[in-house]
Amino acid sequence: MANTGIPTVDVSLFLSEGENEAKKQALQTITEACSSYGFFQIVNHGIPVEFLKEALQLSKTFFHYPDEIKLQYSPKPGAPLLAGFNKQKTNCVDKNEYVLIFPPGSKFNIYPQEPPQFKETLEEMFLKLNDVSLVIESILNECLGLAPGFLKQFNNDRSWDFMTNLYYFPAADVGENGLIHHEDANCITLVIQDDAGGLQVQKDSEWIPVTPVEGAIVVNVGDMIQVLSNKKFKSATHRVVRQKGKERYSFAFFRSLHGDKWVEPLPEFTKEIGEKPKYRGFEFNEYLALRLKNKTHPPSRVEDEISIKHYEIN
């Protein structure tokens, strides 16, 4: 296995019953990664490599269409997020285009009708990544020492999950931004990336390149897991740096919470072990609105951007 800069785990170990030394080691690897900086990578997850290649190729075909075709699939007013095709504004710090979808069957979804099979592939990708995210949620549940099935029961509404298919423009020079450094607001994120590179994770104040591995899925912990675990698991700080003369295509699946969900550190990580809560409780919707305001009305100072620190108890 190539050195990807982050730990790589064979997730097939968790798809069979029973305990063994390899599974114990994998749990330890994931626990250490999530406790330190919130990133790891999985292989043998059950999604065929050929399907991933085909999906990335269809994505490339779509994003190479002229704007007048792509803009036909722009979001409708009233969606909670911008489902459909989106192109970042010229003055935006992020430099990318993307197609966003909610679970198949959502009334908000707007699918590109070309190239052929793209709509079906997006839906199939969503369902496959949802299955993988359920496995990852179960693994994190075990790593945190929670009662079996706790996170699944706590997070039992899938209507706010979403997936983006992203296209990053080639950079004219070295080190140009594609997606500014940030942490994900949700619970768990899964990323499938092509071979262009550019994804980086911050660990010990250094940026580590997440080297692409064919067929692998990158996993990162989001803010909600950090809050629930009272900061035992860390929400991963990451970014995408565009490559000179290289396009980049990826899929990102966000396992989220329903907007009305109340979030606060779990008693398993506070009063049951004599620890004080590091965060005050809040409604997930409220946090999303504050994060969105960062995008629509960027503060003049970077330090004024809203992050999960907004809810920290000093």
Side-chain angles (χ1 to χ4, degrees):
M1 180 63 63
N3 181 11
T4 65
I6 60 174
T8 299
V9 174
D10 182 349
V11 80
S12 68
L13 295 168
F14 300 92
L15 302 179
S16 57
E17 297 295 328
E19 295 290 332
N20 57 59
E21 197 57 40
K23 183 178 178 181
K24 288 180 182 177
Q25 181 59 52
L27 284 169
Q28 183 178 341
T29 297
I30 292 172
T31 301
E32 289 174 356
C34 292
S35 301
S36 177
Y37 58 109
F39 247 84
F40 59 99
Q41 191 159 231
I42 59 172
V43 294
N44 297 329
H45 41 69
I47 305 180
V49 173
E50 288 306 314
F51 171 76
L52 299 179
K53 286 182 179 178
E54 179 186 355
L56 288 167
Q57 184 57 49
L58 286 169
S59 164
K60 183 175 183 178
T61 300
F62 172 76
F63 285 112
H64 277 199
Y65 286 148
D67 280 358
E68 55 263 30
I69 292 179
K70 292 183 288 188
L71 289 171
Q72 294 177 31
Y73 310 109
S74 295
K76 294 177 182 176
L81 280 172
L82 300 178
F85 170 75
N86 295 268
K87 187 172 185 175
Q88 304 286 10
K89 292 179 172 59
T90 305
N91 61 349
C92 183
V93 292
D94 297 333
K95 304 297 180 185
N96 58 64
E97 298 177 357
Y98 60 94
V99 173
L100 186 151
I101 68 168
F102 290 106
S106 169
K107 65 181 181 179
F108 298 117
N109 282 340
I110 300 173
Y111 293 103
Q113 299 303 306
E114 46 195 322
Q117 293 87 48
F118 192 34
K119 173 182 181 292
E120 290 76 11
T121 298
L122 287 172
E123 289 190 325
E124 187 175 356
M125 178 71 81
F126 189 105
L127 294 173
K128 288 180 181 298
L129 288 176
N130 179 66
D131 289 344
V132 175
S133 75
L134 185 60
V135 174
I136 298 301
E137 185 180 67
S138 174
I139 293 171
L140 295 187
N141 193 99
E142 188 171 356
C143 289
L144 287 168
L146 295 168
F150 175 86
L151 286 178
K152 183 179 180 180
Q153 184 176 359
F154 175 85
N155 185 18
N156 61 359
D157 188 322
R158 303 272 52 85
S159 59
W160 281 55
D161 294 348
F162 65 96
M163 182 183 79
T164 55
N165 177 200
L166 292 121
Y167 164 53
Y168 297 90
F169 320 122
D173 205 350
V174 176
E176 291 186 359
N177 179 62
L179 193 62
I180 197 169
H181 68 275
H182 66 287
E183 297 80 41
D184 291 343
N186 57 306
C187 296
I188 301 165
T189 304
L190 307 179
V191 176
I192 293 162
Q193 56 175 341
D194 65 7
D195 60 0
L199 177 61
Q200 299 176 351
V201 57
Q202 192 173 56
K203 182 177 185 289
D204 300 328
S205 300
E206 293 185 7
W207 287 105
I208 301 171
V210 181
T211 307
V213 173
E214 186 177 75
I217 298 177
V218 179
V219 181
N220 69 269
V221 171
D223 290 341
M224 295 306 99
I225 295 294
Q226 177 167 303
V227 172
L228 291 172
S229 70
N230 205 33
K231 221 171 184 177
K232 179 176 180 178
F233 279 5
K234 307 298 190 300
S235 182
T237 302
H238 55 290
R239 67 183 183 185
V240 175
V241 177
R242 291 184 292 140
Q243 306 296 292
K244 190 173 181 180
K246 271 188 179 182
E247 299 175 319
R248 183 180 193 271
Y249 299 89
S250 65
F251 289 88
F253 179 89
F254 300 87
R255 190 169 182 87
S256 197
L257 293 174
H258 190 274
D260 295 336
K261 192 73 177 181
W262 183 262
V263 186
E264 62 185 350
L266 296 172
E268 289 88 342
F269 305 106
T270 53
K271 63 183 179 182
E272 290 184 11
I273 59 172
E275 293 283 344
K276 293 182 178 180
K278 293 182 171 65
Y279 300 94
R280 58 186 172 88
F282 57 91
E283 196 173 271
F284 185 51
N285 250 339
E286 175 188 290
Y287 181 45
L288 289 183
L290 291 171
R291 287 283 298 256
L292 183 61
K293 192 174 180 180
N294 287 345
K295 297 284 187 181
T296 57
H297 299 83
S300 56
R301 302 187 308 164
V302 174
E303 55 266 34
D304 292 333
E305 286 187 0
I306 297 294
S307 69
I308 203 61
K309 291 180 181 178
H310 178 73
Y311 296 98
E312 282 186 349
I313 299 173
N314 295 323

